Amino acid sequence: MKNQEENKLSGSYYTPHKTVQFMRKYLEKEHKLYGNMLEPSVGDGRFLEVFEQGGIIRKLVGVELNRKKVEHLRNNGYSGRIEIVESDFLDFAIKTKEKYQLIVGNPPYINIKNMENNSKEKAKRICECFQLSKSLMKNLWVAFLLASVSCLKKGGSYIFCASTRVSSGSICRKD
């Protein structure tokens, strides 16, 4: 029961391996080579493991807030193409100058009433950057999707496991 409550508060709901495999295969069908990929909420690293295989990605950057998970991931023996960054993704997105051709993952689903105050403030600032109403911020995944868009290269793509409240499909940055 404790793990379920921790998962609820941290938004940790791991993507089934079959879904991660499907996402990679879907992208491989585009026959496109992505120079760099970002995974904004690495968790146990399953996206990194699957996307490291095959040749569609040259460099993978994974961002994870939880120190224990970061230590575990850094000791996993990944290739030199994978970099693990210990950071809150919202902070990372605001500070990074790097842009990514592909962003994949499963953002945390944390209801606003369970979010820490500093996370709420960062999420609302991200809404303001996109000239959106702060009232849109009902769940942390909204801020993750918006922050991810800010990290995309022009013409870049992202593919996320999304709530049924989000329309499905691939979104491409056009500007």
Side-chain angles (χ1 to χ4, degrees):
M1 195 68 178
K2 183 181 178 193
N3 274 349
Q4 285 180 332
E5 187 62 26
E6 286 174 7
N7 287 346
K8 182 178 179 180
L9 294 175
S10 69
S12 298
Y13 298 98
Y14 294 111
T15 309
H17 288 282
K18 284 175 124 179
T19 303
V20 178
Q21 290 283 354
F22 170 82
M23 292 166 77
R24 189 185 107 217
K25 288 175 184 174
Y26 175 84
L27 291 167
E28 284 177 343
K29 288 179 183 177
E30 291 185 8
H31 301 290
K32 186 175 177 183
L33 180 65
Y34 297 96
N36 60 354
M37 180 187 107
L38 174 66
E39 211 287 54
S41 53
V42 176
D44 66 358
R46 59 187 65 190
F47 282 94
L48 297 180
E49 290 170 11
V50 169
F51 279 85
E52 182 181 31
Q53 302 164 9
I56 66 168
I57 309 292
R58 288 193 210 120
K59 178 185 174 190
L60 297 93
V61 176
V63 180
E64 177 54 50
L65 176 64
N66 183 296
R67 176 166 290 190
K68 286 183 181 179
K69 290 178 185 178
V70 168
E71 289 171 4
H72 175 76
L73 291 162
R74 287 183 176 157
N75 292 322
N76 257 2
Y78 291 125
S79 72
R81 296 184 310 144
I82 293 182
E83 175 187 355
I84 306 297
V85 177
E86 182 180 347
S87 179
D88 177 320
F89 176 64
L90 300 183
D91 291 329
F92 175 88
I94 291 166
K95 293 176 186 173
T96 189
K97 302 288 185 238
E98 190 167 356
K99 300 294 182 188
Y100 298 87
Q101 290 175 309
L102 178 63
I103 302 176
V104 301
N106 185 355
Y109 293 85
I110 304 173
N111 187 294
I112 194 165
K113 61 186 170 204
N114 294 325
M115 287 169 60
E116 294 177 8
N117 286 334
N118 67 342
S119 294
K120 287 179 194 178
E121 290 308 312
K122 285 184 250 185
K124 288 176 181 179
R125 273 186 282 158
I126 288 169
C127 274
E128 289 173 346
C129 289
F130 282 85
Q131 300 177 342
L132 298 170
S133 169
K134 290 184 213 177
S135 65
L136 269 172
M137 199 50 57
K138 304 281 188 229
N139 198 299
L140 190 58
W141 66 261
V142 175
F144 261 67
L145 293 179
L146 293 172
S148 293
V149 169
S150 74
C151 293
L152 276 177
K153 279 187 177 179
K154 184 176 181 178
S157 301
Y158 73 80
I159 183 169
F160 275 116
C161 296
S163 164
T164 55
R165 295 179 183 169
V166 178
S167 62
S168 62
S170 179
I171 298 173
C172 182
R173 183 173 179 161
K174 304 277 186 203
D175 64 352

